[in-house]
Amino acid sequence: MTNALFHHDSTDSRHAEGRVAIAYLQPLLEAAEAHGIGAAALARAAGMAPHDLDGPSATVAARDYVRLLDAGAQLAGDAHFGLHVGQRVRMGTYSAYGLILLSCKDVGQALEQTARYERLAHDLGRSTLQRDGAVAHYRWSSHYPAASRHLVDSVFAGVKVCGDWLAGMPLPPASLAFTHDGGGEALLRHAAHRDEYVRVLGSLPAFNAPANTATFDAQLLDWPVPNADVSLYAVLCQHAEQLLAQRQTAAGAAAGIDAQVHAAIVAGLRHGSARLSSIAAALAVTPRTLQRKLADAGTSFQALLDQARYGLARDYLRQPGLSLVDIAFLLGYQEQSAFNHAFRTWAGTNPGAWRLQEMQAGQAG
């Protein structure tokens, strides 16, 4: 087995069916309109039909959103189009979970709920929040790492705008790190280009970083959200959970057999059982039929089990409260040594060293 097995983890293909809510698209359309670029012209430039953005659909494909963002930047000739899209974000941009943010008691809870319900607004990437003593790390992992820098810029500008709004005042500048190059050395030599990052985000990010992160004083997580209607929090979360369940059901019905098995394995591991027989039963087929269907799809049960374990292992290793023994158990291994051996095969290093590298990358960010 080689690392190539997991290469699709960081490519656009795995998220080809991702969606973006129309509400989340609106700031992009507004930013384009500010440059005199109408929706039809923007759609054409992105390779879409001129009226694709005029229909009654509640969502657009995530890959189309990425193309629209790049097309808007090119048509507008705006080197900071992503930042300016993010500046137009409002709580309503975040669709259903925007209401949850308005009911959170503090900034920390709002960021935690962003990580939980972000997918209700878009499938462009995922947020995580980690508190490490006196500092906190917000991280956004893009599902479209090959996209232009405008995607990451728009996300972090939107988080900054809404964070300030929730806190009722400008939040202290965070230490930012982005995986993109900031536009390249030629642009970064211009003070005006650097200054626009500072104006919108509060500080100049470090570019070409290993992850997209904002690192800040952990005390900010305890800042209260003024006028938050916390009485609605439980009801809104219940509604959001129902929406998530509906999305997952719809995604499962539309997914190929490999995606269905992967999802079933992840669920099984979290409930203590991810054997071929139990996964086949969950999908209402015999083990032999499941193996045949997977072979027809060019994969195998063991390959999908390894992929699921590797993905969960990385998530668990980012949680400092979990020991390696705990993680091995959660992944269905009887011995930690078996987990260590498997992880070394997948990642080229042992899990303890991988965890240390992640911690150091977060501290550097």
Side-chain angles (χ1 to χ4, degrees):
M1 190 184 309
T2 67
N3 289 348
L5 175 66
F6 305 103
H7 180 67
H8 68 283
D9 223 25
S10 61
T11 66
D12 298 3
S13 59
R14 180 166 182 171
H15 304 281
E17 300 306 318
R19 309 296 296 177
V20 171
I22 289 297
Y24 196 84
L25 173 65
Q26 194 59 37
L28 193 165
L29 298 179
E30 292 175 2
E33 185 63 36
H35 288 277
I37 304 164
L42 186 63
R44 280 194 298 268
M48 302 167 64
H51 301 294
D52 278 357
L53 303 180
D54 297 333
S57 175
T59 64
V60 296
R63 60 181 179 274
D64 286 340
Y65 178 92
V66 172
R67 293 168 184 157
L68 289 165
L69 189 61
D70 290 348
Q74 292 171 8
L75 290 176
D78 183 355
H80 288 297
F81 188 72
L83 292 180
H84 300 152
V85 169
Q87 279 190 295
R88 294 175 179 273
V89 165
R90 299 294 181 264
M91 301 311 298
T93 301
Y94 295 126
S95 190
Y97 91 86
L99 293 174
I100 294 178
L101 301 184
L102 293 172
S103 67
C104 290
K105 59 182 174 54
D106 54 41
V107 171
Q109 190 178 50
L111 285 174
E112 290 170 356
Q113 299 316 302
T114 293
R116 173 64 181 165
Y117 298 117
E118 183 175 25
R119 72 196 71 180
L120 294 178
H122 64 75
D123 290 315
L124 297 167
R126 288 292 172 263
S127 298
T128 55
L129 178 66
Q130 179 181 353
R131 189 166 187 158
D132 185 14
V135 297
H137 308 284
Y138 168 80
R139 180 172 181 165
W140 193 74
S141 300
S142 175
H143 290 339
Y144 295 85
S148 73
R149 60 191 170 87
H150 298 293
L151 179 58
V152 171
D153 288 356
S154 67
V155 169
F156 276 79
V159 170
K160 177 70 166 63
V161 166
C162 288
D164 290 350
W165 195 89
L166 285 172
M169 65 182 73
L171 292 169
S175 175
L176 301 172
F178 293 166
T179 56
H180 65 67
D181 64 359
E185 293 184 8
L187 279 176
L188 288 172
R189 280 198 293 267
H190 296 282
H193 184 79
R194 300 192 304 272
D195 289 348
E196 188 65 357
Y197 271 110
V198 176
R199 184 186 73 82
V200 176
L201 300 176
S203 62
L204 182 66
F207 299 111
N208 297 305
N212 302 305
T213 58
T215 300
F216 51 94
D217 189 329
Q219 291 183 349
L220 293 183
L221 298 175
D222 300 323
W223 279 28
V225 174
N227 304 315
D229 192 348
V230 295
S231 65
L232 293 176
Y233 178 77
V235 173
L236 292 171
C237 284
Q238 183 180 19
H239 176 60
E241 289 294 336
Q242 292 172 347
L243 293 176
L244 278 183
Q246 291 170 6
R247 279 174 54 90
Q248 290 166 356
T249 299
I257 187 63
D258 54 340
Q260 293 180 49
V261 170
H262 185 278
I265 288 174
V266 170
L269 286 171
R270 286 173 171 161
H271 291 88
S273 176
R275 298 179 181 276
L276 173 63
S277 58
S278 62
I279 299 304
L283 297 177
V285 296
T286 66
R288 185 183 296 273
T289 298
L290 180 58
Q291 288 177 313
R292 177 178 55 77
K293 287 186 174 183
L294 290 174
D296 290 343
T299 187
S300 68
F301 180 79
Q302 186 61 49
L304 294 173
L305 177 60
D306 287 336
Q307 289 176 12
R309 279 175 160 166
Y310 184 42
L312 289 173
R314 287 175 293 173
D315 289 341
Y316 292 146
L317 286 168
R318 293 188 181 104
Q319 301 178 35
L322 290 176
S323 70
L324 296 184
V325 173
D326 293 333
I327 295 171
F329 174 78
L330 290 169
L331 295 176
Y333 291 102
Q334 298 299 315
E335 301 288 342
Q336 182 189 327
S337 59
F339 165 54
N340 290 347
H341 176 76
F343 192 88
R344 191 179 298 110
T345 301
W346 301 328
T349 187
N350 65 58
W354 191 92
R355 169 178 268 176
L356 180 61
Q357 291 169 1
E358 283 288 292
M359 290 175 58
Q360 291 172 340
Q363 291 168 357

